[in-house]
Amino acid sequence: MSRLNSSIHVNLTDSVINKLFNKGIYTYVNFINKETNLLIKDTGLSFKEIVDIKNEIANFLGGRIINNALDLLKSETIISSGVSSLDKLLDGGFHSNQIYEFCGASSSGKTQLCLSIATFIALETNKIVHYIDTKGDFSVLRVEQILNAKKCKDEEIVRVMENIKVTEVTSTNLLFSILHNLGNISLDKFDTKLLIIDSMSTFCLASNKNIESTYSLCNLRNMLRHIKWKYNISIITTNLITQWSEENAFISFKDGVNITVNVKPTLGKIWLQVPNTRILLKYLKNEEREISIWDSLELNVGEKCNVNINSTGVC
């Protein structure tokens, strides 16, 4: 087996190779068989850089790639959100094998953003989008408005409606059942491009029992990780935020008390590290919203863009 060296790709530097050696990754086959997420953590390279290196290795080794690594490599993709400023923020779009979470206060635009993304992907890729609706907010009318704004023909509208598989869930057990069934589909029959769950917090927050809520969150976490790893797809969830004020000992010039406002995603510590990237939506005025990278291992935290969210989509 060919040992890793810096001649294969410009980003495979001596420093990166030393990091890989320290993790027991010595050969090209070791590298291409390693999960992309783990390589990102081990090397500090981006998703796109890792995939580029894997592609170069695949070209170099040709037919000698083993253990279906090429099939896995081909499935590592980036899909556009349909919003250029958001794609730029996400380093090209939604990356496969990643969980993204849209957080924001009520009416910040989370659902409309999900509808816009689902509509774009179903239209442009002609692939299936599974949309799990826990709030009863999915609107066929709004999807049709988005498509009409794009001047889609009737047959295109019908195709998109067929490609977006909507399931309205009314209990935690039903949500578990849907995810369980989805995770048991054979690879050759799995045709889903994106999974959206709007919203994760609906049922988990309804339980007053700490043990029950903890069990539910752990179960959800494991199911979603299984689905993204098995099928190498992107998953989008939505979540509410909690906000409160804390008084401290510092004196402000305004009212004698320094008030610090804290904003956190709901679902607590167990859920905090589940999404690979957490995105915050903030209402500005009228249709204008601010979208920022709140937390991420791969993207630059704090980077943001402004978009307009209305009944015809996101721009």
Side-chain angles (χ1 to χ4, degrees):
M1 295 184 185
S2 300
R3 194 173 179 85
L4 285 170
N5 65 75
S6 57
S7 65
I8 195 74
H9 195 279
V10 64
N11 288 321
L12 201 60
T13 62
D14 291 338
S15 174
V16 169
I17 289 173
N18 285 334
K19 292 178 181 178
L20 292 169
F21 285 176
N22 289 334
K23 295 295 182 178
I25 303 169
Y26 300 105
T27 68
Y28 291 139
V29 173
N30 289 156
F31 186 93
I32 205 167
N33 280 324
K34 190 77 171 180
E35 288 184 20
T36 299
N37 277 354
L38 297 179
L39 289 172
I40 290 171
K41 292 179 181 179
D42 292 343
T43 65
L45 298 175
S46 69
F47 179 95
K48 291 173 69 176
E49 288 169 336
I50 294 295
V51 172
D52 284 344
I53 294 172
K54 284 190 173 185
N55 281 325
E56 286 297 322
I57 293 174
N59 291 332
F60 174 70
L61 295 182
R64 288 179 284 159
I65 300 296
I66 59 173
N67 296 331
N68 297 319
L70 271 178
D71 291 336
L72 290 174
L73 177 57
K74 290 176 183 177
S75 67
E76 295 186 80
T77 58
I78 302 175
I79 54 176
S80 172
S81 67
V83 183
S84 58
S85 56
L86 178 57
D87 284 347
K88 184 177 180 180
L89 202 63
L90 298 176
D91 194 21
F94 298 107
H95 297 214
S96 61
N97 199 11
Q98 300 280 302
I99 298 176
Y100 296 86
E101 183 170 84
F102 294 150
C103 292
S106 179
S107 301
S108 59
K110 300 184 297 296
T111 295
Q112 186 66 4
L113 180 57
C114 286
L115 290 174
S116 180
I117 292 167
T119 302
F120 176 82
I121 292 173
L123 174 65
E124 296 298 328
T125 70
N126 199 27
K127 297 290 185 179
I128 300 298
V129 176
H130 271 275
Y131 197 112
I132 298 177
D133 179 15
T134 72
K135 303 182 300 177
D137 281 352
F138 184 90
S139 172
V140 173
L141 177 60
R142 281 195 277 175
V143 172
E144 190 173 358
Q145 288 175 325
I146 293 170
L147 292 170
N148 285 331
K150 296 178 180 292
K151 303 186 183 302
C152 292
K153 298 178 181 178
D154 289 344
E155 55 267 28
E156 290 178 309
I157 294 176
V158 170
R159 174 169 60 82
V160 169
M161 296 298 185
E162 290 176 345
N163 284 342
I164 302 178
K165 306 296 184 183
V166 183
T167 307
E168 186 173 340
V169 299
T170 55
S171 69
T172 307
N173 287 337
L174 182 55
L175 177 60
F176 288 160
S177 178
I178 293 167
L179 293 176
H180 176 76
N181 291 335
L182 190 62
N184 282 329
I185 298 175
S186 61
L187 286 171
D188 60 320
K189 294 182 179 179
F190 192 85
D191 57 356
T192 297
K193 193 73 172 178
L194 177 71
L195 170 63
I196 296 175
I197 305 177
D198 183 25
S199 155
M200 291 299 300
S201 58
T202 303
F203 300 120
C204 295
L205 292 178
S207 174
N208 292 322
K209 298 179 180 179
N210 223 17
I211 295 177
E212 182 180 338
S213 179
T214 299
Y215 170 79
S216 296
L217 287 173
C218 289
N219 204 3
L220 284 170
R221 175 195 63 195
N222 294 339
M223 285 182 167
L224 293 182
R225 285 176 173 172
H226 168 72
I227 290 170
K228 69 159 186 163
W229 284 333
K230 181 176 179 179
Y231 304 112
N232 283 301
I233 66 167
S234 305
I235 298 176
I236 296 174
T237 68
T238 68
N239 196 359
L240 291 171
I241 58 173
T242 59
Q243 181 172 314
W244 66 92
S245 297
E246 294 179 346
E247 295 186 7
N248 58 37
F250 294 97
I251 305 300
S252 72
F253 294 102
K254 183 177 180 180
D255 53 13
V257 179
N258 183 28
I259 303 297
T260 302
V261 176
N262 293 280
V263 177
K264 293 185 177 181
T266 60
L267 304 183
K269 292 182 179 179
I270 293 175
W271 191 257
L272 201 59
Q273 301 302 321
V274 175
N276 300 94
T277 296
R278 180 169 281 113
I279 299 163
L280 182 63
L281 277 72
K282 181 180 178 182
Y283 174 87
L284 296 179
K285 61 179 180 180
N286 301 324
E287 299 175 349
E288 192 175 2
R289 303 290 188 275
E290 178 186 277
I291 300 179
S292 60
I293 303 299
W294 192 358
D295 187 34
S296 179
L297 291 175
E298 293 85 22
L299 303 175
N300 295 324
V301 174
E303 287 196 359
K304 56 190 176 182
C305 67
N306 289 1
V307 300
N308 289 326
I309 299 180
N310 53 46
S311 60
T312 60
V314 182
C315 60

